Amino acid sequence: MIDILVAGGGPAGLAAAIRAATAGLEAVVVEPRPLPVDKACGEGIMPSGVAALRALGVTPAGSTLRGIRYVEGPRRAEAVFRGGPGLGVRRTALHAALHRRATELGVRVVTGRAGEVRQDDDSVTTAGLTARWLVAADGLHSPLRRSLGLERPRTSPRRYGLRRHYRIAPWTDFVEVHWSREGEAYVTPVGEELVGVAVLSRHRRSHEQHLTAFPALARTLRGLEAGPVRGAGPLRRTVSAPGAGRVLLAGDAAG
Ligand SMILES: Cc1cc2nc3c(=O)[nH]c(=O)nc-3n(C[C@H](O)[C@H](O)[C@H](O)COP(=O)(O)OP(=O)(O)OC[C@H]3O[C@@H](n4cnc5c(N)ncnc54)[C@H](O)[C@@H]3O)c2cc1C
């Protein structure tokens, strides 16, 4: 029998599978989409995340991040990371590196979608596969979290995220968080000629409309759009328990 079945081949699912494989367990990942998957993300990995990836044997190429700077009009407040640098890394590069490491360790990634879960004292079955344990890493909207009755009603205001890349040499090695009443824009260097701008806000508007709240930033980026806008939300989820029986929630699925 498979030791650990992982539903969802995002960063959380692949990291769980890699960790299981390095502990000598057989891990299988079920993922409906071809890897690597791109998605809305600010693409900034904090120093502790970089260390966690290194411990998994995953070292994606990216841009060194020295700290965080908050920007509101002419005001600036910044701090350098104390635990070494972070990393700005394209989501697809991170995902490809995780997938490569998982494959290297013998993790099987199968195309499929976890649906109904059946479990007893010894095993759990979903997507036609039976394992001793199931890690539900099926993302923000986690169908497994819902089907297991672990979803909590939302009490906090809804927030949405949109991300777009711009073809421009990064002007800083800090993540810049541009601040306004409307929301925040996170600017992350992710390549020699590429920055990502993720906007988080309570308002549902286009990325372009959001940028009007940050006029200086909008002027710098005008005409340099590279690639499509990706979005996600509502962002904040809470759960009533970390798992149920032989199923453990992980990553965004776990709130
Ligand atoms: C705008 C924005 C900016 C962000 N910025 C940052 C940042 O700068 N730094 C940072 O660390 N985090 C950031 N985050 C958060 C980060 O992107 C998520 O926390 C992370 O992607 C969660 O990974 P995950 O593996 O849990 O989920 P996901 O990456 O969503 O992966 C879930 C996977 O499950 C699969 N799946 C779905 N349903 C099923 C099913 N039924 N069966 C099997 N598989 C299924 C999906 O196809 C998907 O591949 C940001 C998020 C947003 C929205």
Side-chain angles (χ1 to χ4, degrees):
M1 195 190 312
I2 297 164
D3 293 309
I4 309 277
L5 179 59
V6 181
L14 288 172
I18 291 168
R19 184 69 190 89
T22 54
L25 302 171
E26 186 192 358
V28 174
V29 176
V30 189
E31 164 63 48
R33 295 190 277 179
L35 305 187
V37 175
D38 204 1
K39 82 173 270 289
C41 186
E43 302 180 323
I45 304 178
M46 297 298 100
S48 56
V50 175
L53 283 171
R54 204 180 302 121
L56 294 173
V58 179
T59 51
S63 303
T64 299
L65 302 177
R66 208 149 54 87
I68 308 254
R69 172 182 302 141
Y70 283 84
V71 181
E72 186 182 21
R75 297 192 193 91
R76 302 266 185 287
E78 65 179 45
V80 172
F81 293 133
R82 276 188 291 183
L87 192 70
V89 56
R90 276 292 284 116
R91 180 72 185 201
T92 42
L94 169 66
H95 211 184
L98 283 160
H99 186 203
R100 217 169 23 247
R101 178 67 174 144
T103 308
E104 206 175 274
L105 291 168
V107 172
R108 235 176 352 118
V109 180
V110 300
T111 305
R113 190 177 287 278
E116 190 201 348
V117 174
R118 280 182 289 113
Q119 54 177 324
D120 57 29
D121 287 348
D122 305 310
S123 67
V124 51
T125 301
T126 188
L129 295 161
T130 298
R132 292 199 297 131
W133 304 97
L134 172 64
V135 174
D138 51 347
L140 192 63
H141 302 290
S142 178
L144 290 176
R145 178 182 63 214
R146 204 172 327 119
S147 75
L148 291 163
L150 298 174
E151 192 142 303
R152 258 211 186 132
R154 201 190 331 268
T155 50
S156 54
R158 287 167 183 254
R159 299 236 304 162
Y160 301 89
L162 293 173
R163 184 225 57 205
R164 185 162 217 184
H165 291 110
Y166 294 84
R167 181 80 42 211
I168 183 172
W171 53 89
T172 172
D173 53 4
F174 278 62
V175 173
E176 275 190 357
V177 186
H178 292 249
W179 195 262
S180 85
R181 282 177 171 277
E182 306 294 316
E184 308 99 64
Y186 292 72
V187 184
T188 309
V190 290
E192 278 182 21
E193 292 287 332
L194 201 65
V195 299
V197 179
V199 180
L200 300 184
S201 172
R202 286 169 62 177
H203 305 288
R204 296 193 81 167
R205 297 183 185 143
S206 71
H207 198 272
E208 206 181 350
Q209 283 168 332
H210 276 302
L211 282 192
T212 60
F214 314 100
L217 182 62
R219 270 195 306 278
T220 304
L221 300 174
R222 187 163 303 135
L224 302 175
E225 295 81 2
V229 176
R230 291 189 185 274
L235 293 178
R236 195 168 154 68
R237 302 300 171 102
T238 52
V239 296
S240 54
R246 299 195 152 260
V247 188
L248 181 71
L249 301 174
D252 277 5

